[in-house]
Amino acid sequence: LNFATFQALIPALLGEWSITNTEAGWISGAYFAGYVVAVPLLVGLTDRVDARAVLLASLVLAALASAAFAIFATGFWSALVLRTLQGVGLAGTYMTGLKALTDRIEGPRQSRNIAFYTASFGVGAALSFVAAGEASAAAGWRLPFIVAAAGCAVAFLMIWFGVPRHAPVRGIE
């Protein structure tokens, strides 16, 4: 739900924060910069610790960053920092979630589950736009970030209770 929350709200935030289109672009890009910088570190960490643990910690970060955005973002700099942290949260959820899946499922079921998992990212990204639009129409631009934080909390609970602990499976060295 974090994926496109800011992008869906740019028209409202341009006026409210008096930011330029360039600044809105920087905030949008900060999400992906956080992702790009953090993904090698967090995915590499899954060779040493269970991907589930990295996934859970990243969901906590993503939830806190989203809630903080709703509460504390007031303009360019605060939004830039918090959006970057949301991107780091994505870095620790998407690929580490895939690693957690492949560590736990073997044989012919593995490729089918990987296909469903990766396809769900596109569906989730689309739902991010929809959820942000509907929530902001109901109660302003802050609510979509609260909804995204709640989504992270629900995902945390699903992983905590639905994915068993597992020793890390090291990649090919």
Side-chain angles (χ1 to χ4, degrees):
L1 291 173
N2 280 327
F3 183 76
T5 307
F6 178 78
Q7 289 82 348
L9 302 173
I10 287 174
L13 293 174
L14 284 173
E16 182 157 336
W17 289 350
S18 298
I19 58 174
T20 66
N21 289 330
T22 301
E23 290 171 324
W26 274 99
I27 297 166
S28 293
Y31 183 79
F32 300 104
Y35 176 85
V36 167
V37 169
V39 102
L41 303 169
L42 295 175
V43 173
L45 185 60
T46 63
D47 284 339
R48 305 226 180 308
V49 301
D50 184 3
R52 177 183 181 269
V54 177
L55 181 56
L56 289 169
S58 298
L59 285 166
V60 169
L61 174 63
L64 292 174
S66 293
F69 198 103
I71 298 165
F72 300 114
T74 57
F76 176 72
W77 290 108
S78 56
L80 188 77
V81 169
L82 293 168
R83 199 68 181 139
T84 302
L85 292 174
Q86 289 173 336
V88 173
L90 176 65
T93 55
Y94 180 63
M95 291 303 293
T96 59
L98 185 59
K99 177 82 162 76
L101 175 74
T102 59
D103 285 352
R104 287 162 177 81
I105 299 175
E106 296 178 357
R109 288 185 24 225
Q110 189 180 60
S111 63
R112 182 182 191 140
N113 282 282
I114 290 170
F116 282 119
Y117 180 86
T118 55
S120 71
F121 182 81
V123 173
L127 289 175
S128 176
F129 278 104
V130 172
E134 294 299 317
S136 68
W141 72 264
R142 294 181 190 275
L143 182 61
F145 292 97
I146 297 297
V147 169
C152 292
V154 169
F156 179 95
L157 293 173
M158 290 171 65
I159 300 300
W160 182 267
F161 291 110
V163 177
R165 287 184 172 90
H166 189 279
V169 176
R170 297 183 65 102
I172 297 172
E173 295 185 14

